[in-house]
Amino acid sequence: RGAGYLLKALTGTINLVLPALDPTRTPLNYAGPTGKSFVFNLVYNPSVTSDPNNGVNLIGFPFDPQKVASATWLSALVTWPGAPATGPDGNPWTVQTASAAGKMSSELLTIDPSNGNSINVSDSGLVPYAGYYVTTKINNLQITIKANPLP
């Protein structure tokens, strides 16, 4: 969960078939007033600085869509190896403060199905059944998102 994939048919068409329901695999459940969280570990290769796509990670919505409506992006908590416990404002690092410090981009990009262009949806956050591009500028940056349960 939490990983996204971009598929492109090289020739002809593709028919995706989902496997049969596996009872040993269970979705993340929302439980309790504080909700559940999920950690994305983003990668960047410091030895490949010439690649403009270095640090671009494809993620997805990691929660059970029958129980969780969305996940907030801009206030998601961020950490990385050697990071100070708090940002310059004295609070834990968030996507916004880590972006301002040059560790990542705050943009949460998805593809507009009507024209194929990327659009920034960072204000609305993650929702079920969508894939997102996230860019880190350092390796092993971790983003912890929290579930917003259905009303």
Side-chain angles (χ1 to χ4, degrees):
R1 290 200 165 240
Y5 302 92
L6 182 62
L7 303 176
K8 180 179 181 181
L10 298 177
T11 60
T13 59
I14 292 179
N15 292 320
L16 296 178
V17 178
L18 297 177
L21 184 60
D22 181 351
T24 64
R25 297 183 69 183
T26 57
L28 297 175
N29 293 315
Y30 170 78
T34 58
K36 287 282 191 177
S37 61
F38 185 87
V39 178
F40 292 108
N41 189 28
L42 305 183
V43 295
Y44 174 88
N45 187 340
S47 65
V48 187
T49 56
S50 61
D51 182 354
N53 294 319
N54 187 9
V56 176
N57 292 254
L58 187 57
I59 63 171
F61 187 77
F63 302 108
D64 181 350
Q66 294 181 351
K67 297 180 180 178
V68 177
S70 64
T72 306
W73 176 249
L74 292 174
S75 61
L77 298 178
V78 176
T79 188
W80 59 89
T86 59
D89 60 359
N91 294 310
W93 290 93
T94 64
V95 167
Q96 287 181 312
T97 56
S99 175
K103 305 299 181 186
M104 64 177 294
S105 170
S106 64
E107 289 184 329
L108 181 66
L109 300 175
T110 193
I111 302 297
D112 183 340
S114 67
N115 59 23
N117 293 329
S118 62
I119 52 174
N120 185 357
V121 294
S122 55
D123 289 336
S124 57
L126 288 84
V127 295
Y129 312 112
Y132 304 94
Y133 292 97
V134 180
T135 303
T136 180
K137 298 175 183 172
I138 57 173
N139 196 31
N140 294 321
L141 185 123
Q142 293 183 332
I143 301 174
T144 303
I145 61 169
K146 291 202 179 238
N148 297 324
L150 290 169

